[in-house]
Amino acid sequence: MRLSRGRPPYPRPRQARLRGGVKLNSADFQRGGFTKDDSQAVLAALAHEGVDLIEVSGGSYESMAMSGSTAPSTRAREAYFLEYGRTVRKLVGDIPLAVTGGFRTRDAMQRAVQAGECDVVCIGRPAITTPDAARLILEGQAQSLTAHQARYGMRTLLGKITDRKVLDGVLDISWHTDRYIASVTACTPT
């Protein structure tokens, strides 16, 4: 599987210089907060500053838009922020673009890259529980990846006293963060 559009995903440096990428949310999904228009204004400005990579995703810990607690229709279409990535592509031109959030199938990843909608596909959650997820997809050993979701038990009782979706979102983010830290700590030389 080829996940590039015929050029290296990162430009080769002409001279030694500091390389840098920017991760930017499409919006924070908070009333009165950072909007898509704000995000696009920042990206338009960054396009002229020599940035080497731009990664787009969305949400915040307060909104849970990035927690995996998404509507079934969003999960079915994959790549939650790919549509926004298309807008970003027009603003930033040839700067390599990474899209984060919701990619699960090899087919969707390949289509997005081959269509030029992004240069890099990010697969954070599946890689937390399957560290070789990227290799499995790239070598064709897996057609899809699983992102495990942590949920609280006692669903009926909890539903009477709190918003289960928010509670599950907090648990899911915490669980994935703990797994990530544990995996990094296990690989860190002492």
Side-chain angles (χ1 to χ4, degrees):
M1 178 171 147
R2 184 169 176 84
L3 287 181
S4 78
R5 292 181 299 145
R7 64 176 170 82
Y10 301 95
R12 291 199 172 94
R14 293 189 181 106
Q15 60 187 13
R17 69 177 180 90
L18 182 62
R19 312 299 285 176
V22 174
K23 180 184 188 304
L24 189 67
N25 281 354
S26 60
D28 65 13
F29 303 101
Q30 298 294 308
R31 190 171 322 163
F34 192 71
T35 66
K36 286 186 179 181
D37 290 340
D38 295 332
S39 176
Q40 290 173 11
V42 170
L43 289 164
L46 286 172
H48 305 290
E49 297 298 324
V51 173
D52 297 303
L53 175 80
I54 293 175
E55 176 189 350
V56 294
S57 65
S60 67
Y61 287 101
E62 290 81 16
S63 72
M64 295 299 144
M66 41 66 93
S67 73
S69 301
T70 56
S73 60
T74 302
R75 282 194 302 274
R77 77 168 187 268
E78 290 193 57
Y80 312 146
F81 303 104
L82 188 58
E83 183 176 329
Y84 183 69
R86 292 179 191 116
T87 301
V88 171
R89 171 65 77 207
K90 294 173 188 169
L91 291 170
V92 302
D94 287 338
I95 298 172
L97 176 63
V99 175
T100 298
F103 278 106
R104 297 296 179 259
T105 64
R106 184 176 195 260
D107 184 54
M109 294 174 204
Q110 193 168 21
R111 278 194 322 262
V113 172
Q114 288 178 345
E117 296 172 322
C118 63
D119 299 293
V120 178
V121 170
C122 301
I123 51 169
R125 287 178 188 259
I128 295 293
T129 55
T130 309
D132 60 343
R135 181 187 60 76
L136 294 172
I137 287 290
L138 288 169
E139 293 178 359
Q141 295 179 27
Q143 296 303 311
S144 65
L145 300 171
T146 300
H148 301 278
Q149 284 192 298
R151 291 175 32 155
Y152 280 97
M154 301 185 305
R155 312 291 298 158
T156 304
L157 175 63
L158 285 174
K160 293 178 182 179
I161 58 174
T162 189
D163 182 339
R164 288 186 307 226
K165 184 177 178 182
V166 170
L167 194 61
D168 286 341
V170 170
L171 174 64
D172 195 54
I173 288 172
S174 299
W175 186 85
H176 280 89
T177 301
D178 288 348
R179 299 293 69 75
Y180 172 73
I181 291 168
S183 68
V184 170
T185 303
C187 297
T188 303
T190 56

